[in-house]
Structures are given as C-alpha cells and as structure tokens.
Amino acid sequence: MRLLLVEDDLDLGDGIRIALRDQGVDVVWVRRLEQAATALEAGGWDMVLLDLGLPDGDGLTLLRRLRTGQRLPAIILSARDALRDRLRGLDEGADDYLVKPFALEELLSRVRALARRSGLGDADEGLRLRGLVVHEATRQAGLNGQPVSLSRSEFDLLALLLKRSGRVQTRHALEEHVLRGGTSNDSNVLDVHISNLRRKIGPGYIRTVRGIGYVIDAVPLEAA
Ligand code: CA
C-alpha cells in the first residue's frame, strides 16, 4: 500500500512515518499543502493521511479537490476536536477523523480498517486477473498455473499495475514507485521493464496509453 502523509509537525510526522513503514506501508511524507497537491496530482496513491492546519493553507481544500477527482481513501488528523469540525471533515469526503493527540496504535488500527474497507491489502489471496497471479508476501508470480520469473523491478511494476487495474498509471507515478525515482536521466528504463514484462506474461495485459503511461485493463484487450 502506498500512502501519502501530509503533516507539518516534525516529531509527529516522523513517528507516523516510522510506525507505518514498520507495518510494510510505503509512506511518502510531505509537510506543505502545495507539495501534497503536487504529489496527489502525480497519482499512484492508495490512501492519504491529512493534517488540516498546514503552514500554507487548510487541508480541507485538498480534500475538496480530491472529491472531484479519483476516489482516494482519506483520514484526517487534526487538533480541531469540535463536533462541527469533525462533521465538516467527514462531509468533505474524509473516511475517518482522528483527533490529536492520538496513540500511534490507534492510527495504525484505523489505517488497517480503512485499507480493508477499501479492498486494499490481503496479500495471501494474491492479486489475480485472467490467469495472472501475483503474491506480494512471497514475491511470486504465475501465469495459467505456471511460475513466471521476474526481476525485482518487473515484479513491483506488475504488482502495482494489477493492484490498480482499470486505472491508468502515469509514467511519473510508475517511475517514482517502482524504480524509486532514480530514472530521470534515462527515461527508457521504464519502457524496457514493460517490454520485458510483456515478453514474459504475453502482450494481452499491459496497454500503453500514449503520452501518459500504462494500464492493465480489467477486461481483456482485443487480440492484435
Ligand atoms: Ca499542523
């Protein structure tokens, strides 16, 4: 699960980041509204934890923007504890609202609960689509019952595309997530991995969206 943490308090942000990372969550932490907006625009997120009182604005404006775009599970973390504030946050589209100060254990528990409600996680089941299966816990992939040998990057790429099947993933998001953002000098790397993946799993899964990125469609592609 890839989670965006928006929190300007250094101690709290660092504590949350470490606690989530220890749970196997892929966390990116930003401290300003503007950075958060840029990150969300790039896409590729499974959940957002959002502080409301940020140095460059109110987190609620971000929530409003989120609501008009792609649905993204969101938990508000705020010191505003009035009922009015909580209701407003939930009305603006947050799935949950945690009042500061809170115990990290409670935050982790709520993140897990929201992940379950949103259909994220469940590594044991594996990600499955038309004969293709990916087990993230054991990092094994298979096609029509036969194991498929993938490099680390190929595996990460396939798992991400499968997890978000039906949603186009931008080149930027894929490079950030799968290639750890280390490809700005060589924009070919992503295409090479995709090409290798297609060779290994067949051409019928990954579709190129010109100028944007790649997607694994939930329904089969027409035979070329
Ligand atoms: Ca704050």
Side-chain angles (χ1 to χ4, degrees):
M1 172 165 67
R2 187 157 183 258
L3 180 148
L4 180 67
L5 168 63
V6 189
E7 171 62 66
D8 65 313
D9 184 298
L10 291 179
D11 289 337
L12 181 60
D14 202 41
I16 293 174
R17 184 182 63 82
I18 291 168
L20 285 169
R21 193 195 58 195
D22 289 349
Q23 302 279 308
V25 177
D26 184 1
V27 186
V28 173
W29 173 26
V30 297
R31 301 178 189 87
R32 301 178 66 86
L33 198 59
E34 197 188 318
Q35 295 170 316
T38 306
L40 287 172
E41 213 152 288
W45 303 100
D46 298 308
M47 191 181 295
V48 58
L49 302 185
L50 182 64
D51 178 27
L52 295 186
L54 294 164
D56 56 340
D58 190 327
L60 278 181
T61 61
L62 201 67
L63 209 54
R64 248 168 250 144
R65 209 179 315 176
L66 267 183
R67 215 169 47 158
T68 61
Q70 176 189 300
R71 169 90 192 88
L72 183 65
I75 301 178
I76 290 177
L77 315 174
S78 177
R80 300 177 197 165
D81 64 347
L83 177 63
R84 186 170 47 89
D85 291 314
R86 278 180 283 148
L87 292 180
R88 192 162 161 227
L90 295 169
D91 282 345
E92 294 287 358
D95 297 275
D96 203 351
Y97 194 114
L98 206 48
V99 175
K100 295 175 185 175
F102 49 78
L104 276 178
E105 273 310 314
E106 179 169 12
L107 175 64
L108 294 179
S109 158
R110 293 204 190 197
V111 166
R112 282 194 297 269
L114 180 55
R116 277 197 303 276
R117 289 206 300 277
S118 311
L120 303 164
D122 258 351
D124 291 341
E125 289 282 314
L127 302 159
R128 292 168 187 275
L129 189 82
R130 301 193 302 274
L132 199 57
V133 59
V134 165
H135 294 281
E136 289 188 286
T138 55
R139 297 192 67 83
Q140 288 175 311
L143 180 65
N144 300 323
Q146 297 297 315
V148 177
S149 171
L150 301 175
S151 73
R152 195 198 75 166
S153 294
E154 288 162 8
F155 184 94
D156 288 344
L157 201 49
L158 180 60
L160 188 73
L161 286 168
L162 264 182
K163 222 183 292 181
R164 298 176 184 154
S165 64
R167 288 181 280 166
V168 177
Q169 301 302 305
T170 64
R171 295 184 60 89
H172 179 75
L174 291 171
E175 285 173 353
E176 277 287 310
H177 182 63
V178 176
L179 311 172
R180 318 288 171 213
T183 62
S184 49
N185 297 331
D186 185 0
S187 58
N188 258 343
V189 174
L190 179 64
D191 302 298
V192 170
H193 287 309
I194 293 282
S195 159
N196 288 338
L197 261 179
R198 281 176 170 150
R199 187 165 46 75
K200 291 177 178 180
I201 64 173
Y205 287 98
I206 303 172
R207 180 165 63 87
T208 303
V209 182
R210 295 244 174 267
I212 299 178
Y214 295 98
V215 61
I216 289 185
D217 291 298
V219 293
L221 302 182
E222 294 292 332

